[in-house]
Amino acid sequence: MRLLLWRHGRTTWNDVGRFQGHADPPLDATGRAQVAAVAPIIRAMRPELVVSSDLQRCRDTAAGLDLPVRTDARLREIDLGSWSGLTGAEAAVRFPAEDRAWRRGEDVRRGGGETYLEVARRAGAVFDEVRAEGLPSEPAGLVVFVLHGGTARSLIGRILGLPPELWWHFGPLANCRWSVLRVVEGGYRLAEHNAGPLLTGRVGVAGSGLSESLLPSQGAPTESDTEPVHLPK
């Protein structure tokens, strides 16, 4: 089997570097354009099953596939509690101890929310149930999960059987990019990570006379102020 983990398109909060968690800001114009460009590529892979987080930014992304979609709240982003809606700078001021621990790569419960290990357990249960259903029906068949960056990274770590302290080594998924896990003899392999089309299209920025890239390149930073950064030891 192949499992494709597709992150939602860009939202209004992604654009300004705000932590989202279980909050649900909508896709912005760039996010909608990303979905329109990428969804046909994933649809052409002929997924047998599509399961989406129940948050609107993922449901709107999944709708671009024009295929039947299951929704499951267990694929939501990590619950960030009181961090939700803050920028990285604001969180560092209001929750300095949590921020320092998180940026060291520790799996701390930020703002009274969840840990990434807990996210991996709930998202992993969805994966286990899909496999128990016998899906996909063919050895090379494809299942698509439409989800969030933190959830994707946690699920990759769980499926590969890696300890949580190593999950930070997976770079964050950019908006509307994907990872693919493939069954191989003896387990699973990460076959693709932060993959997606090399698009050259650009989206106009309303009222500015400027434009921005439709999708970031694979090597580009992604919302760096809302991603954990290891501090030198």
Side-chain angles (χ1 to χ4, degrees):
M1 77 162 292
R2 293 172 297 149
L3 175 67
L4 188 149
L5 307 177
W6 188 27
R7 188 184 176 200
H8 59 80
R10 199 180 80 171
T11 71
T12 54
W13 283 17
N14 287 145
D15 186 35
V16 294
R18 294 193 181 279
F19 293 101
Q20 296 181 117
H22 284 192
D24 205 10
L27 299 180
D28 64 10
T30 295
R32 294 190 296 272
Q34 289 170 339
V35 172
V38 177
I41 298 170
I42 295 179
R43 180 183 171 88
M45 299 180 193
R46 302 175 63 87
E48 187 170 335
L49 174 68
V50 179
V51 186
S52 172
S53 160
D54 67 330
L55 294 180
Q56 189 67 47
R57 59 188 183 270
C58 285
R59 289 190 286 116
D60 286 348
T61 299
L65 295 172
D66 196 25
L67 293 170
V69 177
R70 292 186 193 175
T71 57
D72 197 310
R74 293 173 294 176
L75 293 182
R76 284 187 177 193
E77 181 60 288
I78 186 170
D79 181 0
L80 292 174
S82 300
W83 280 48
S84 182
L86 302 180
T87 64
E90 290 168 343
V93 170
R94 298 189 194 185
F95 304 95
E98 291 178 7
D99 179 74
R100 287 192 298 271
W102 172 67
R103 292 187 180 277
R104 287 192 298 268
E106 297 176 21
D107 191 12
V108 294
R109 193 182 304 281
R110 289 175 282 160
E114 292 178 289
T115 65
Y116 281 108
L117 184 60
E118 290 168 339
V119 174
R121 287 172 179 156
R122 58 172 165 82
V126 180
F127 175 73
D128 292 343
E129 290 169 13
V130 167
R131 294 293 284 150
E133 290 180 49
L135 297 172
S137 57
E138 300 295 330
L142 178 68
V143 170
V144 173
F145 283 2
V146 185
L147 70 184
H148 310 265
T151 312
R153 179 161 47 191
S154 301
L155 188 54
I156 290 169
R158 180 198 185 264
I159 291 174
L160 295 180
L162 299 175
E165 59 267 22
L166 297 181
W167 296 352
W168 305 109
H169 292 280
F170 297 115
L173 279 179
N175 289 117
C176 235
R177 292 201 176 274
W178 67 75
S179 295
V180 175
L181 292 148
R182 184 188 299 273
V183 172
V184 295
E185 187 173 350
Y188 295 89
R189 174 175 294 164
L190 183 60
E192 300 177 34
H193 185 57
N194 228 346
L198 295 174
L199 298 176
T200 58
R202 302 181 75 82
V203 177
V205 180
S208 68
L210 302 174
S211 63
E212 59 186 345
S213 296
L214 181 59
L215 285 175
S217 69
Q218 278 94 335
T222 354
E223 291 82 59
S224 57
D225 67 331
T226 54
E227 291 294 339
V229 177
H230 286 287
L231 298 176
K233 294 184 178 180

